[in-house]
Amino acid sequence: MNIDRAARPRVLLTALAAGTLLLASACNDTATPAQDKAAAGTPAPAATATATPTPKPTGADDPALKTFYAQQISWAPCPPDAKAEQAKANIAAMQCGTLHVPLDYANPAKDALDLALVKYPATKPDQRIGSLLVNPGGPGASGVEMVKYGAKDFAGALHSRFDVIGFDPRGTGASSPVTCLDDKQRDADAQVDDPLDPAARKAQSDQQNARFIAACQAKSGKLLPFVGTRNSARDMDVLRAAVGDKKLNYLGVSYGTYLGSLYAEEFPKNVGRLVLDGAVDPAADGLDSVVKQTTGFEKSFERFAADCVDNHATECPLGKDPGQAAQKASDFLDSLRDHPLPTKDGRKVNAGLGWTGLRGALYGDENSSWQYLRVALSAAMKDGKGDVLLALADDYDGRDENGHYSPMDEAHAAISCADGSTPAPTAERAQQIVKQLHDQAPLLAKDIDVQDFTESSCNGWPFQSPEKPHTIRAEGADPILVVGSTGDPATPYAAAEALAKGFANATLLTRVGEGHAAFGKNNACIDQALETYLTAGTMPAAGTRCT
């Protein structure tokens, strides 16, 4: 259920090409520190990972889950965070804790996990509504970091009326993270561009995937069958009960909308006020999603390049013709394959890292990351310096200044395969997809070939999920608010329309503008609508569009 982060460290390349849609997390416009890998309760590795599909649990009514639902969270001041000096004052007001959940809901007495939590207590306790759980996307992004380093986004009525609670879903962040490759291996992989020849590219991909899968199985084998989103949704219901809320209030962004949707499907009677922003369509075909998202990034790339020429001519290195600006940037990034740029830390910016930096910046807009991308391209194209472009790539890949990678990529692969695999297409279908990509995204997809679509998206993965794409109705749930942005490259607006239409009771709120998702974009209309819905339960009028 998950797309592109294209030139991230080269793991599961076959999966990405075959239709595993990788969703970006919702990010602030400034970089946030990567979460340390320390985790309590990490299961011991196993040589193999096998599991039968977990039957639907009965939640709080299941006697076997009673102790999990009845637990009391021991909140305590969060430990100092040397990486977050700018957020120091906010973190001082927060509390940290852990939630105990079953590894396997079908066998809850066997093994358990501890999930990392952070609470940003309501500033007006006498007007407190309850808790607001949040998830920033991924899959694999840290909800703890979303609250710690994005506290300003909750300022106002949300922080006044709610305890804002972030959690790292199972297999991510500080919640028994999936671990596979070490930092040196990931750095080395990132320095090798993918071959242009399709057969050579597939051979390299197969070799890297086999190494990656073996490493994941060796280090996290016991965990892999149980990191799927449906189990995380069950964890959220345990968390809802543990914080004393009768119903779940939730803000999910990007992949977080899929997590929220599955929660509504599993526990419709426990749904309170759900905001699903930057929506994933759970019924979408994986290959169609690849085409739509790649096309979304292509259009965003073209708009960025045209804006660079039209509105920032003195600093823009992309010429004077807005219609040819994206092509000029594309040609330059491709040239880094043969002429990589030097950087101060000794790494080279090759084509893969250059494109990664560009794609990461396209998640923002003209008021945020586009300006950094202009600086990066100017330094690279005019001065031959790759440092800013590399910084954008590192931010996207979750690599900190000490060379340590967050576990997000590895969690993404594991969660995606636990959520379902896209079967290998027929030769005719593969040719159709390649033609659509070449026609609709000629810059980003020019090297794609039918040989990139010869296997299922999780070929070789030790655990295969029975999950399939399907429409989620959530009959009986309280009204759900779905938010879509017209210029969203990562989760195109059509997905928000489809998600809202699929629910039995939902309203679609539209942000007209660039960038991924609407939360945290400083759009007064969106912010007011979210606050009114979450604090008062009042939906925006049908058809509301915020500019």
Side-chain angles (χ1 to χ4, degrees):
M1 175 76 41
N2 305 315
I3 202 178
D4 184 73
R5 285 258 236 207
R8 304 183 70 129
R10 286 127 184 95
V11 294
L12 291 186
L13 298 180
T14 301
L16 298 179
T20 302
L21 177 66
L22 176 71
L23 303 177
S25 62
C27 302
N28 295 323
D29 296 331
T30 55
T32 59
Q35 179 73 33
D36 290 336
K37 287 186 177 181
T42 303
T48 59
T50 57
T52 54
T54 304
K56 185 175 182 179
T58 54
D61 295 330
D62 185 346
L65 299 177
K66 183 177 180 180
T67 57
F68 294 100
Y69 273 86
Q71 68 185 287
Q72 298 290 313
I73 299 170
S74 297
W75 296 104
C78 294
D81 190 339
K83 298 178 182 178
E85 189 64 30
Q86 291 181 343
K88 187 175 182 179
N90 290 327
I91 293 175
M94 297 179 187
Q95 298 173 329
C96 289
T98 58
L99 181 77
H100 206 55
V101 296
L103 174 66
D104 180 5
Y105 276 87
N107 299 288
K110 190 175 181 181
D111 291 299
L113 303 170
D114 286 334
L115 306 186
L117 310 174
V118 65
K119 178 170 69 173
Y120 197 24
T123 57
K124 296 182 178 179
D126 59 325
Q127 299 179 31
R128 179 181 176 275
I129 296 170
S131 301
L132 177 66
L133 273 60
V134 300
N135 180 276
S142 168
V144 170
E145 288 187 355
M146 181 183 184
V147 175
K148 277 189 173 181
Y149 311 128
K152 65 180 179 60
D153 292 328
F154 301 99
L158 296 185
H159 185 209
S160 296
R161 307 290 303 281
F162 289 100
D163 292 338
V164 181
I165 295 180
F167 68 102
D168 288 351
R170 54 175 59 207
T172 75
S175 297
S176 301
V178 173
T179 56
C180 306
L181 304 179
D182 62 34
D183 295 333
K184 289 183 178 180
Q185 288 173 316
R186 294 186 65 175
D187 269 350
D189 283 349
Q191 290 289 284
V192 180
D193 276 324
D194 302 329
L196 292 176
D197 176 72
R201 184 166 64 244
K202 185 179 185 303
Q204 177 175 294
S205 171
D206 288 347
Q207 182 183 43
Q208 291 179 335
N209 288 345
R211 173 166 54 87
F212 175 73
I213 291 169
C216 294
Q217 192 168 0
K219 296 179 181 180
S220 300
K222 187 175 182 178
L223 182 64
L224 298 181
F226 305 108
V227 296
T229 304
R230 196 169 294 277
N231 277 332
S232 288
R234 293 163 180 161
D235 294 342
M236 285 208 302
D237 200 56
V238 175
L239 180 54
R240 171 200 59 78
V243 297
D245 288 349
K246 183 177 180 181
K247 291 194 172 187
L248 178 79
N249 300 310
Y250 175 76
L251 168 63
V253 184
S254 196
Y255 155 83
T257 67
Y258 181 58
L259 175 57
S261 297
L262 285 191
Y263 181 89
E265 183 175 58
E266 287 271 326
F267 306 101
K269 299 297 184 182
N270 295 347
V271 169
R273 298 164 189 173
L274 261 63
V275 174
L276 306 180
D277 176 22
V280 176
D281 177 9
D285 171 81
L287 293 175
D288 287 340
S289 295
V290 168
V291 173
K292 290 176 181 177
Q293 195 195 51
T294 306
T295 301
F297 273 103
E298 180 93 6
K299 293 183 181 299
S300 181
F301 182 22
E302 292 172 349
R303 291 191 293 266
F304 156 76
D307 176 76
C308 182
V309 171
D310 288 338
N311 299 316
H312 307 278
T314 58
E315 61 180 295
C316 182
L318 302 181
K320 298 181 180 180
D321 183 353
Q324 293 297 313
Q327 181 68 62
K328 185 169 183 177
S330 175
D331 291 343
F332 172 77
L333 294 174
D334 288 343
S335 75
L336 299 180
R337 176 182 296 276
D338 297 320
H339 305 284
L341 298 173
T343 65
K344 292 179 181 178
D345 79 350
R347 288 180 293 157
K348 301 286 188 180
V349 177
N350 56 9
L353 286 171
W355 277 106
T356 296
L358 179 135
R359 285 174 181 261
L362 293 180
Y363 282 90
D365 58 23
E366 62 274 14
N367 297 315
S368 57
S369 56
W370 283 15
Q371 59 186 310
Y372 301 118
L373 182 55
R374 288 194 302 271
V375 172
L377 290 175
S378 180
M381 297 174 73
K382 294 181 178 180
D383 303 325
K385 297 179 179 179
D387 297 278
V388 183
L389 199 54
L390 182 61
L392 291 175
D394 283 348
D395 183 50
Y396 188 61
D397 284 337
R399 185 186 190 276
D400 67 21
E401 60 186 9
N402 297 316
H404 173 63
Y405 287 88
S406 82
M408 179 174 172
D409 279 339
E410 293 162 335
H412 163 261
I415 294 169
S416 296
C417 288
D419 282 351
S421 172
T422 300
T426 64
E428 181 180 6
R429 174 71 166 143
Q431 290 174 349
Q432 179 189 48
I433 292 298
V434 170
K435 184 178 187 305
Q436 290 176 342
L437 286 168
H438 287 172
D439 290 346
Q440 298 175 35
L443 298 179
L444 298 183
K446 56 182 172 297
D447 297 328
I448 293 293
D449 183 84
V450 291
Q451 290 197 44
D452 296 313
F453 295 90
T454 58
E455 297 173 342
S456 67
S457 62
C458 293
N459 184 54
W461 195 252
F463 170 68
Q464 300 297 312
S465 170
E467 294 277 359
K468 302 293 182 185
H470 63 286
T471 298
I472 293 179
R473 294 287 294 159
E475 298 280 358
D478 284 353
I480 297 169
L481 179 60
V482 178
V483 187
S485 298
T486 57
D488 191 328
T491 50
Y493 181 69
E497 294 178 305
L499 180 63
K501 184 178 180 180
F503 283 130
N505 190 358
T507 295
L508 175 62
L509 173 65
T510 300
R511 179 179 72 92
V512 179
E514 298 291 339
H516 180 41
F519 179 71
K521 288 291 192 295
N522 296 316
N523 183 299
C525 171
I526 290 290
D527 293 346
Q528 184 61 53
L530 297 187
E531 285 188 0
T532 300
Y533 167 67
L534 288 169
T535 61
T538 303
M539 279 287 186
T544 297
R545 295 173 69 86
C546 295
T547 57

